């Protein structure tokens, strides 16, 4: 009798989980519409891709019917300074050429990411004096943006130059310049290299009022729109199931649109763990698949309502088998360990998820 009672206590103390069957993963869809065509009258729908820089060419890795639904592409890594010019005068063009050529072959637009950033930036570029660094910045931008003149619809000229309350003063560019004027130079050199590209400032957390205001103040203080050819603001949109609110997204769209700037959502993904590194890996259950569909559904409905202010919406990837979120969970305890996340429109089998069906049914 004792053992039976103990077993019951054990079962009920675990909330009967021991009795419920293991959660089955949700099934995907092998038949799906072309989101790029469906959104043609609204804005391009993009995906971050690899051109082979880490061994994977997205255009051959993913099934043709998957990669062909996008009308815009951006290099996830291979156009960043440390990858495209690792040593001064040594350029690695192959992966970037793959992406630009493949996009053009599909009639898709290309976003350039990114010319000046504090991360993935080679140390040699900002060594020495301000004038030496300035000359290297100009040479880098003229070489990279100049190679693709007329082929890039929008450049993330400067990425993540501010914190919530001020300039990112620990940026190697801020350090070697001694102030934020490197941002003005970057936009001037990008315009010199490719006057046809739309020039963007790109950042994360832009929906937070503090950072949104800091970016607005930077744009005003540096006269980036009036004197330095700024065309728009890239909102990275690394969000989750509960944050940000639709009202915060709308306020952010309005803030920059009211400044006469274009708005682009440049790195969209929804972290199902909400950035909480303590949550153990889950499968993509039906409930989670539905929650993702609801979340993406409300976000894309808002995007469509603001189509006259938005000029690109890009997912930061294509399918769940490759997303930075599978490894970025908390660098304190799990640095570079793998935990499957589910932020993308296609699942690990490269089938469309419920969220894809939801945002293409309107
Ligand atoms: O796959 C290689 C592996 O073969 C190699 O052994 C290893 C050696 O370090 O590198 C691995 O590549 C990693 C790559 O992600 C895999 O996709 C790189 O180390 C790693 O640096 C790279 O991280 C990228 C990260 O930017 C770097 O900061 C992510 O892919 C990329 O998604 C992420 O993208 C950034 C945007 O550019 C800016 N906004 C934030 C966004 C997320 O952090």
């Amino acid at each position: 009798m004792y053992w039976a009672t103990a077993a019951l206590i054990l079962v009920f103390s675990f909330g009967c989980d021991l009795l419920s069957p293991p959660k089955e993963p949700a099934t995907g869809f092998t038949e799906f519409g072309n989101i790029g065509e469906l959104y043609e009258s609204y804005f391009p729908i993009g995906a971050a891709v690899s051109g082979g820089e880490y061994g994977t060419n997205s255009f051959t890795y993913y099934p043709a019917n998957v990669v062909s639904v996008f009308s815009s592409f951006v290099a996830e890594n291979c156009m960043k300074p440390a990858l495209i010019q690792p040593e001064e005068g040594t350029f690695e063009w192959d992966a970037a050429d793959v992406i630009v050529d493949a996009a053009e072959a599909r009639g898709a637009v290309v976003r350039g990411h990114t010319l000046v950033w504090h991360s993935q930036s080679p140390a040699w570029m900002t060594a020495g004096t301000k004038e030496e660094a300035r000359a290297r910045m100009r040479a880098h931008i003229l070489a990279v943006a100049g190679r693709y003149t007329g082929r890039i619809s929008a450049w993330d000229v400067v990425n993540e130059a501010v914190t919530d309350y001020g300039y990112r003063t620990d940026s190697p560019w801020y350090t070697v310049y001694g102030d934020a004027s490197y941002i003005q130079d970057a936009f001037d050199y990008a315009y010199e290299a490719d006057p046809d590209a739309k020039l963007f400032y790109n950042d994360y957390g832009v929906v937070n009022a503090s950072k949104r205001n800091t970016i607005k103040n930077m744009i005003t203080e540096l006269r980036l729109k009036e004197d330095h050819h700024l065309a728009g603001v890239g909102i990275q949109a690394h969000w989750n199931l509960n944050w940000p609110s639709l009202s915060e997204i709308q306020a952010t769209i309005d803030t920059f649109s009211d400044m006469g700037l274009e708005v682009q959502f440049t790195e969209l993904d929804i972290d199902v763990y909400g950035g909480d590194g303590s949550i153990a890996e889950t499968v993509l259950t039906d409930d989670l698949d539905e929650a993702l569909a609801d979340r993406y559904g409300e976000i894309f409905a808002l995007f469509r309502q603001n189509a006259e202010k938005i000029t690109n919406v890009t997912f930061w990837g294509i399918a769940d088998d490759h997303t930075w979120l599978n490894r970025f969970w908390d660098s304190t305890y799990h640095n570079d360990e793998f935990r499957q996340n589910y932020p993308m429109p296609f699942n690990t089998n490269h089938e469309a998820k419920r969220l894809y069906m939801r945002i293409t049914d309107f």
Side-chain angles (χ1 to χ4, degrees), residues 45-185:
I45 300 287
V49 289
S50 298
E53 65 276 13
Y54 291 120
T56 301
N57 174 346
S58 301
F59 297 94
T60 53
Y61 171 74
Y62 291 108
N65 70 321
V66 167
V67 76
S68 62
V69 303
F70 297 101
S71 51
S72 175
F73 292 100
V74 62
E76 183 177 12
N77 285 294
C78 67
M79 285 190 175
K80 293 170 179 174
L83 279 85
I84 205 164
Q85 192 182 183
E87 301 298 332
E88 188 164 12
T90 301
F91 291 92
E92 301 294 347
W93 298 122
D94 292 353
D97 287 352
V98 161
I99 293 170
V100 177
D101 292 347
E104 284 182 342
R106 288 165 170 74
V109 299
V110 181
R111 295 198 81 258
H113 177 81
T114 177
L115 295 172
V116 171
W117 190 21
H118 66 278
S119 178
Q120 290 182 289
S121 185
W124 63 264
M125 211 175 260
T126 50
T129 67
K130 170 184 173 180
E131 285 313 312
E132 288 168 334
R134 189 177 197 189
R136 291 193 201 102
M137 177 198 284
R138 181 170 180 270
H140 178 76
I141 293 176
L142 292 188
V144 176
R147 180 181 181 85
Y148 302 109
T149 294
R151 305 174 72 188
I152 303 290
S153 68
W155 268 109
D156 290 337
V157 175
V158 174
N159 193 45
E160 304 172 9
V162 300
T163 63
D164 274 28
Y165 299 102
Y167 291 111
R168 186 183 292 273
T169 53
D170 64 354
S171 160
W173 287 108
Y174 192 102
T175 303
V176 73
Y177 262 68
D179 57 33
S181 63
Y182 76 94
I183 299 169
Q184 296 165 316
D185 282 348

Side-chain angles (χ1 to χ4, degrees), residues 199-219:
L199 305 183
F200 275 70
Y201 172 77
N202 190 56
D203 214 330
Y204 64 86
V206 186
V207 291
N208 294 325
S210 52
K211 192 160 190 181
R212 180 169 67 233
N213 292 332
T214 299
I215 292 169
K216 179 179 178 182
N217 294 339
M218 170 191 72
I219 291 169

